[in-house]
Amino acid sequence: MRQAQGAYRVIVVDVLEGKLALARRLGADITLNPGQDDVIEAVKDLTNGLGADVVVEAAGTAESFNTASEIINTTQVRVLQLGHHPVTLNISRWHDDGLEFINTCLVHHTWQQRYVWCPEALRPVARLVEVRPLITDEFRLDDIKAGF
């Protein structure tokens, strides 16, 4: 996947060892657990102090948002946000370095916008990511509450 998208190195950060193992199986080059690793220092070391070119923030916690802000390469300045919880941010880094914040939360758009944006957003996933190992459970539509 990363070669098709032009990534040199993929670093995955998670607090759950099962997710880190899955990330390694799917091709992550390096996995870090913030409970055991100093993620900011590790990313700086791995990138010769430059930081990551792209950061995908998917947990939605204050810690993950602020870590994403610290590990991004200030010449690239793109943070893609997937997670969503009320958080307190160190917004000065975003202001001082001109970080670009990309919000992918499609649920706040109209159904017409979702109809247009969802296929476009998911097309690379469908083509490049082995999705089956990411599916942990399946539910009948009648059991949608249990699924959530």
Side-chain angles (χ1 to χ4, degrees):
M1 178 182 88
R2 69 179 169 271
Q3 291 84 4
Q5 293 297 309
Y8 168 71
R9 181 182 295 145
V10 175
I11 303 168
V12 175
V13 178
D14 204 291
V15 296
L16 298 175
E17 186 52 43
K19 289 184 180 181
L20 294 173
L22 177 62
R24 287 188 292 273
R25 197 170 86 231
L26 294 175
D29 296 300
I30 297 155
T31 57
L32 301 170
N33 183 328
Q36 301 168 5
D37 304 304
D38 183 333
V39 173
I40 295 169
E41 283 304 311
V43 171
K44 285 181 182 178
D45 289 345
L46 291 164
T47 61
N48 296 318
L50 295 175
D53 290 338
V54 176
V55 174
V56 177
E57 191 297 308
T61 67
E63 182 180 3
S64 63
F65 268 107
N66 286 310
T67 298
S69 298
E70 289 299 318
I71 64 173
I72 191 72
N73 178 335
T74 58
T75 65
Q76 300 296 325
V77 297
R78 286 207 180 129
V79 177
L80 176 66
Q81 182 263 333
L82 299 170
H84 62 287
H85 298 287
V87 297
T88 301
L89 296 175
N90 177 0
I91 203 73
S92 62
R93 171 93 204 277
W94 296 40
H95 172 75
D96 295 346
D97 293 327
L99 296 182
E100 181 180 352
F101 176 82
I102 303 171
N103 183 354
T104 62
C105 188
L106 297 173
V107 298
H108 300 296
H109 299 290
T110 65
W111 72 267
Q112 294 96 339
Q113 290 170 316
R114 285 193 300 271
Y115 184 76
V116 170
W117 286 102
C118 283
E120 185 67 26
L122 295 176
R123 191 170 291 118
V125 174
R127 275 190 268 143
L128 299 171
V129 175
E130 186 183 349
V131 176
R132 192 71 189 141
L134 302 176
I135 300 171
T136 58
D137 295 285
E138 294 183 28
F139 296 88
R140 295 175 34 84
L141 192 52
D142 295 343
D143 297 327
I144 196 164
K145 283 186 177 182
F148 278 99

